[in-house]
Amino acid sequence: MKDMIRAIRACKTAAEERAVIRKESAAIRAAINENDQDYRHRNLAKLMFIHMLGYPTHFGQMECLKLIASAGFPEKRIGYLGLMLLLDERQEVLMLVTNSLKQDLNHSNQYIVGLALCALGNICSAEMARDLAPEVERLLQFRDPNIRKKAALCSIRIIKKVPDLAENFINPAAALLKEKHHGVLITGIQLCTDLCKVSPEALEYFRKKCTEGLVRTLKDIINSPYAPEYDIAGITDPFLHIRLLKLLRMLGQGDADASDTMNDVLAQVATKAESNKNAGNAILYECVETIMSIEDNGGLRVLAINILGRFLSNRDNNIRYVALNMLMKAITVDAQAVQRHRATILECVKDSDASIRKRALELVYLLVNESNVKPLTKELIEYLEVSDQEFKGELTAKVCSIVEKFSPEKIWYIDQMLKVLIEAGNFVKDEVWHALIVAISNASDLHGYTVRALYRSFQTSAEQETLVRVAVWCVGEYGDMLVNNVGVLDIEDPTTVTESDAVDVVEIAIQRHALDLTTKAMALIALLKLSSRFPSCSGRIKDIIVQYKGSFVLELQQRSLEFNSIIEKHQNIRSALVERMPVLDEATFSGRRAGSLLTTVSTSSRASHNLPNGVAKPSAAPLVDLLDLSDDAPAPSSSDGNFLHDLLGVDLAPASAQSGTNQASKAGTDVLLDLLSIGSTTPVQSNSSTPDMLSSGLDNQKQIATLDALSSPLPSAPANSSVGASSMMDLLDGFASSPSKREDNGSVHPSIVAFESSNLRVTFNFSKPPGNPQMTLIQATFINLSSDAFTDFVFQAAVPKFLQLHLDPASSNTLPASGNGSVMQSLRVTNSQHGKKSLVMRIRIAYKLNNKDMLEEGQINNFPRDL
Amino acid sequence: MIKAVMVINTQGKPRLAKFYDFLTVDKQQELIRSVFGVLCSRAENVSNFMEADSIFGPDSRLVYKHYATLYFVFVFDTCENELAVLDLIQVFVETLDKCFRNVCELDIVFNYSKLHTILDEIVFGGQVLETSSAEIMKAVEEISKLEASSNSITLVPKTVSGWRNR
């Protein structure tokens, strides 16, 4: 044995180790075949070692049985050890061992009885439990305490396997509670606890007959003199304390009388246990848990929560950790009492241990309410400045969520969000700053204040990306207020900002290469707006915009060209074009936000939403609806999957599906309906093909001069010039930008029904991220056509080698019946043979229908050709 | 209930692995690896508790203690008290220390079956059997005495090659 271990230890590589083990295994197998008696138990010992290292050892199983059946103690010992390690209750071999176990349980040598009990306790199956329960029951009264305690624990296994047997054990278990021997008492208490779990009768019995006795026992050990053999760090038998408290908890839960009986002793434990040692704290911790679980006693609960409060200031990480866990539970019982320890909990948010910080933060999050939100947020934001990088993301998310949820007033909300942006703007999620912009837009009296605050923050924290975005947006919208100091509040310091200072901000933002496309695109719009607000800087702005004419990013290039032409050629309409945005609709936004949690929209498509907002700003009244919604578009826009269906099904001919895809992401259904009711159907259809639409629109306007521009790559520029025509024409202009969008998104593809069976329909919608023609984003929508809901719904897909597939998690794994809802799942496919081969995919869908496993498979060959 | 007891050295080699719910060998190895992966990435000054939900399923907790080159790991469900399990690890290690007089990793490697005997006297089928290291020692010594008294083992040659060439 030692030689083998030494040989294995000497191995330097995994391959060497495998070789040694192969050799050993071969030798052992040979020995087994020769039926070598002398070496059997040593071989098995080796096998166990090999097993631990993770190599197969099944060939040794029969050897275990032979060893167990042999007479000697060492053989039996190894045999049982092997039995526990190498076999499990599911194997049939185990049936063969029942008889040996029965004999050994009746053996005259108590150590052999102990071995058999131990093995039974570890691997007992239901059948064995039935066969051997009488033996174990008898052993509960064995003279030797060691056997009694093993029998008690073995009984636990038996009643867990066969709960029906519980009643046989109730009386012997109750007898064990009167034991003086600590070890037996502990196991007896455990047995009772488990009996209570599996059998309500047992619970009732112990509650009536044993509660008082247990309370007395607990009292005795609290007051007992020092007992060295069961002592851990000077505390008398903490394990017994804990087991007793656990059982009392079972008995007290939901029973006022039993709870009453134990109140006194719990108070005693809570006050007497020493809290300067781990063992003492373990008792206190258990005691607190019991107090929180048993029937109501206000005084005790306050005591318990105060103990937890003390734990929080303990130096030991472990203690703080369990205290936080416990407070999390306690908050549902007595939130008021937990509130008192807010300050200490807040300290734990700043702990050096990450898991404690995380817990504490969750707890603080639960503690926040309207009355304490201000001081708590202040503390958290202050901490944000010094916290670790890896913790900032989590902290930021929680702070934002707290601020949004409980903010008492607008100005406070804006202030706090600005602080967060300054400290951790790079960690702020998109929907959070979108919400901030919506809120700013709604707080009309704070526009000036906000833009000035942002301007100041930008000077110090230009590296925080989301701060830059919000700042750029606000400077673009409210730049004039920045310069003219409109709406100065009393609390503000007076500042003077010149027009060129404001342009500086945007210029710096656009020139930071680290910043991404969204920010740059937003900056370009801001520049366009500023060019109208600050005529004196118009030339400079034009220079900045022109720089992006040659940008490799289509989106930027296009904007640059369009904006440039607006500045150059269309002075007369520019100011109307870039008027301030109307107030964004908060209700729509929050609804949208809730609905959009499932879908992620790529950054660039979000960026392009800004385009129609900034450019096409008609003043015609009927269009306000449309604008309202498209103004929301800076927010991550809603799911286009389902929604597109509605759109297609309700209003549009399939031919317009392509433009529909674009609109879907920027306008709501209601808008589209508005749209249809305003205009005739002609303009809508005309969207389906760019030249058609534009020519029809332009014909009406008699602006044939700009027709040339149509064929140029800026289709939306001419459209802008139509502002001021009839409202129906404005409508068209609003759409005119959608073909331009179409270009950045690459070609757009109609959705397909990928799979359909009697139960299920799978639809795929496609989109392409700009700049990466090989990649296709597929939004799969699953609809249940049967009359019962599907559960455990799993969609799997496989693709040939030239494709790469990435599956995001599905929105849900249950699918309501009869098409009353759908499950969505996004797939990302990268086609390395783009242009040569088209997509192909095999799918497999597994789900449970009426608890029956169902499996559907299929191959999808009808992908659009050019994906 | 205690679900598993593991002793892993700082290189990730298991020195003792005992699972109280049946798991296949592959699954056991995978768990040992993932536990080690988490353990070795933890800093010195953090708590001894870990959420093990991701590794062992819901409601699992893991308590570990680091002694010299070994991690002692106990995995259990919500029925056990974390702080008490921490004490139990202490009892386990103290007992080992008494058995081997200043226990070190080598003792554990070469006395694999004795280690199991000791553990079986402390944890029994996932339940705590005995918490007094004196009692545990007594039981373990009795077993060793019984083993020594039957001398069938000592007579045979020790190495594989030795008896293969007989």
Side-chain angles (χ1 to χ4, degrees), chain A residues 167-180:
Chain A
E167 56 180 316
N168 300 345
F169 285 95
I170 294 177
N171 280 319
L176 287 179
L177 294 182
K178 301 194 178 76
E179 282 278 350
K180 289 280 169 285

PDB file of all heavy atoms in Angstrom, chain A residues 167-180:
ATOM      1  N   GLU A 167     -42.812   5.327  13.427  1.00  0.00           N
ATOM      2  CA  GLU A 167     -43.521   5.128  14.692  1.00  0.00           C
ATOM      3  C   GLU A 167     -42.836   4.093  15.586  1.00  0.00           C
ATOM      4  O   GLU A 167     -42.916   4.190  16.808  1.00  0.00           O
ATOM      5  CB  GLU A 167     -44.986   4.762  14.435  1.00  0.00           C
ATOM      6  CG  GLU A 167     -45.150   3.551  13.564  1.00  0.00           C
ATOM      7  CD  GLU A 167     -46.632   3.240  13.360  1.00  0.00           C
ATOM      8  OE1 GLU A 167     -47.361   3.299  14.358  1.00  0.00           O
ATOM      9  OE2 GLU A 167     -47.033   2.938  12.231  1.00  0.00           O
ATOM     10  N   ASN A 168     -42.162   3.120  14.969  1.00  0.00           N
ATOM     11  CA  ASN A 168     -41.445   2.137  15.781  1.00  0.00           C
ATOM     12  C   ASN A 168     -40.354   2.771  16.621  1.00  0.00           C
ATOM     13  O   ASN A 168     -39.941   2.238  17.639  1.00  0.00           O
ATOM     14  CB  ASN A 168     -40.767   1.084  14.893  1.00  0.00           C
ATOM     15  CG  ASN A 168     -41.784   0.350  14.054  1.00  0.00           C
ATOM     16  OD1 ASN A 168     -42.982   0.447  14.343  1.00  0.00           O
ATOM     17  ND2 ASN A 168     -41.329  -0.355  13.040  1.00  0.00           N
ATOM     18  N   PHE A 169     -39.839   3.900  16.131  1.00  0.00           N
ATOM     19  CA  PHE A 169     -38.670   4.474  16.795  1.00  0.00           C
ATOM     20  C   PHE A 169     -39.033   5.559  17.801  1.00  0.00           C
ATOM     21  O   PHE A 169     -38.172   6.038  18.517  1.00  0.00           O
ATOM     22  CB  PHE A 169     -37.715   5.055  15.745  1.00  0.00           C
ATOM     23  CG  PHE A 169     -36.954   3.994  14.997  1.00  0.00           C
ATOM     24  CD1 PHE A 169     -37.398   3.518  13.778  1.00  0.00           C
ATOM     25  CD2 PHE A 169     -35.797   3.451  15.532  1.00  0.00           C
ATOM     26  CE1 PHE A 169     -36.705   2.533  13.096  1.00  0.00           C
ATOM     27  CE2 PHE A 169     -35.098   2.473  14.854  1.00  0.00           C
ATOM     28  CZ  PHE A 169     -35.548   2.003  13.638  1.00  0.00           C
ATOM     29  N   ILE A 170     -40.294   5.974  17.838  1.00  0.00           N
ATOM     30  CA  ILE A 170     -40.638   7.106  18.700  1.00  0.00           C
ATOM     31  C   ILE A 170     -40.314   6.811  20.163  1.00  0.00           C
ATOM     32  O   ILE A 170     -39.635   7.600  20.827  1.00  0.00           O
ATOM     33  CB  ILE A 170     -42.130   7.487  18.538  1.00  0.00           C
ATOM     34  CG1 ILE A 170     -42.356   8.008  17.122  1.00  0.00           C
ATOM     35  CG2 ILE A 170     -42.520   8.550  19.543  1.00  0.00           C
ATOM     36  CD1 ILE A 170     -43.781   8.350  16.814  1.00  0.00           C
ATOM     37  N   ASN A 171     -40.761   5.672  20.643  1.00  0.00           N
ATOM     38  CA  ASN A 171     -40.528   5.369  22.056  1.00  0.00           C
ATOM     39  C   ASN A 171     -39.063   5.184  22.415  1.00  0.00           C
ATOM     40  O   ASN A 171     -38.592   5.793  23.381  1.00  0.00           O
ATOM     41  CB  ASN A 171     -41.343   4.141  22.466  1.00  0.00           C
ATOM     42  CG  ASN A 171     -42.781   4.544  22.734  1.00  0.00           C
ATOM     43  OD1 ASN A 171     -43.017   5.586  23.339  1.00  0.00           O
ATOM     44  ND2 ASN A 171     -43.725   3.753  22.248  1.00  0.00           N
ATOM     45  N   PRO A 172     -38.331   4.362  21.661  1.00  0.00           N
ATOM     46  CA  PRO A 172     -36.894   4.235  21.995  1.00  0.00           C
ATOM     47  C   PRO A 172     -36.172   5.581  21.920  1.00  0.00           C
ATOM     48  O   PRO A 172     -35.285   5.847  22.745  1.00  0.00           O
ATOM     49  CB  PRO A 172     -36.351   3.287  20.921  1.00  0.00           C
ATOM     50  CG  PRO A 172     -37.507   2.709  20.221  1.00  0.00           C
ATOM     51  CD  PRO A 172     -38.730   3.457  20.581  1.00  0.00           C
ATOM     52  N   ALA A 173     -36.589   6.431  20.980  1.00  0.00           N
ATOM     53  CA  ALA A 173     -35.922   7.730  20.852  1.00  0.00           C
ATOM     54  C   ALA A 173     -36.205   8.583  22.074  1.00  0.00           C
ATOM     55  O   ALA A 173     -35.308   9.245  22.614  1.00  0.00           O
ATOM     56  CB  ALA A 173     -36.402   8.443  19.589  1.00  0.00           C
ATOM     57  N   ALA A 174     -37.443   8.566  22.525  1.00  0.00           N
ATOM     58  CA  ALA A 174     -37.788   9.336  23.719  1.00  0.00           C
ATOM     59  C   ALA A 174     -36.961   8.856  24.906  1.00  0.00           C
ATOM     60  O   ALA A 174     -36.534   9.656  25.750  1.00  0.00           O
ATOM     61  CB  ALA A 174     -39.272   9.207  24.004  1.00  0.00           C
ATOM     62  N   ALA A 175     -36.715   7.548  24.957  1.00  0.00           N
ATOM     63  CA  ALA A 175     -35.909   7.009  26.053  1.00  0.00           C
ATOM     64  C   ALA A 175     -34.491   7.549  25.997  1.00  0.00           C
ATOM     65  O   ALA A 175     -33.871   7.834  27.037  1.00  0.00           O
ATOM     66  CB  ALA A 175     -35.898   5.485  25.977  1.00  0.00           C
ATOM     67  N   LEU A 176     -33.976   7.719  24.774  1.00  0.00           N
ATOM     68  CA  LEU A 176     -32.597   8.224  24.643  1.00  0.00           C
ATOM     69  C   LEU A 176     -32.463   9.635  25.209  1.00  0.00           C
ATOM     70  O   LEU A 176     -31.386  10.053  25.614  1.00  0.00           O
ATOM     71  CB  LEU A 176     -32.175   8.231  23.169  1.00  0.00           C
ATOM     72  CG  LEU A 176     -31.889   6.888  22.521  1.00  0.00           C
ATOM     73  CD1 LEU A 176     -31.521   7.079  21.066  1.00  0.00           C
ATOM     74  CD2 LEU A 176     -30.762   6.169  23.246  1.00  0.00           C
ATOM     75  N   LEU A 177     -33.552  10.398  25.208  1.00  0.00           N
ATOM     76  CA  LEU A 177     -33.468  11.775  25.695  1.00  0.00           C
ATOM     77  C   LEU A 177     -33.148  11.828  27.181  1.00  0.00           C
ATOM     78  O   LEU A 177     -32.757  12.873  27.696  1.00  0.00           O
ATOM     79  CB  LEU A 177     -34.785  12.518  25.427  1.00  0.00           C
ATOM     80  CG  LEU A 177     -35.132  12.736  23.954  1.00  0.00           C
ATOM     81  CD1 LEU A 177     -36.424  13.521  23.835  1.00  0.00           C
ATOM     82  CD2 LEU A 177     -34.006  13.482  23.250  1.00  0.00           C
ATOM     83  N   LYS A 178     -33.342  10.721  27.863  1.00  0.00           N
ATOM     84  CA  LYS A 178     -33.045  10.718  29.308  1.00  0.00           C
ATOM     85  C   LYS A 178     -31.616  10.284  29.582  1.00  0.00           C
ATOM     86  O   LYS A 178     -31.204  10.203  30.743  1.00  0.00           O
ATOM     87  CB  LYS A 178     -34.016   9.778  30.021  1.00  0.00           C
ATOM     88  CG  LYS A 178     -35.464  10.185  29.802  1.00  0.00           C
ATOM     89  CD  LYS A 178     -36.397   9.474  30.770  1.00  0.00           C
ATOM     90  CE  LYS A 178     -37.831   9.926  30.573  1.00  0.00           C
ATOM     91  NZ  LYS A 178     -38.450   9.320  29.339  1.00  0.00           N
ATOM     92  N   GLU A 179     -30.850  10.015  28.554  1.00  0.00           N
ATOM     93  CA  GLU A 179     -29.462   9.569  28.704  1.00  0.00           C
ATOM     94  C   GLU A 179     -28.607  10.575  29.460  1.00  0.00           C
ATOM     95  O   GLU A 179     -28.809  11.786  29.348  1.00  0.00           O
ATOM     96  CB  GLU A 179     -28.841   9.368  27.316  1.00  0.00           C
ATOM     97  CG  GLU A 179     -29.245   8.098  26.645  1.00  0.00           C
ATOM     98  CD  GLU A 179     -28.433   6.924  27.134  1.00  0.00           C
ATOM     99  OE1 GLU A 179     -27.444   7.149  27.857  1.00  0.00           O
ATOM    100  OE2 GLU A 179     -28.799   5.775  26.799  1.00  0.00           O
ATOM    101  N   LYS A 180     -27.637  10.074  30.175  1.00  0.00           N
ATOM    102  CA  LYS A 180     -26.692  10.976  30.811  1.00  0.00           C
ATOM    103  C   LYS A 180     -25.428  11.171  29.940  1.00  0.00           C
ATOM    104  O   LYS A 180     -24.765  12.191  29.995  1.00  0.00           O
ATOM    105  CB  LYS A 180     -26.272  10.442  32.183  1.00  0.00           C
ATOM    106  CG  LYS A 180     -27.386  10.528  33.219  1.00  0.00           C
ATOM    107  CD  LYS A 180     -27.493  11.939  33.786  1.00  0.00           C
ATOM    108  CE  LYS A 180     -28.762  12.107  34.624  1.00  0.00           C
ATOM    109  NZ  LYS A 180     -29.993  12.226  33.809  1.00  0.00           N
TER     110      LYS A 180
END
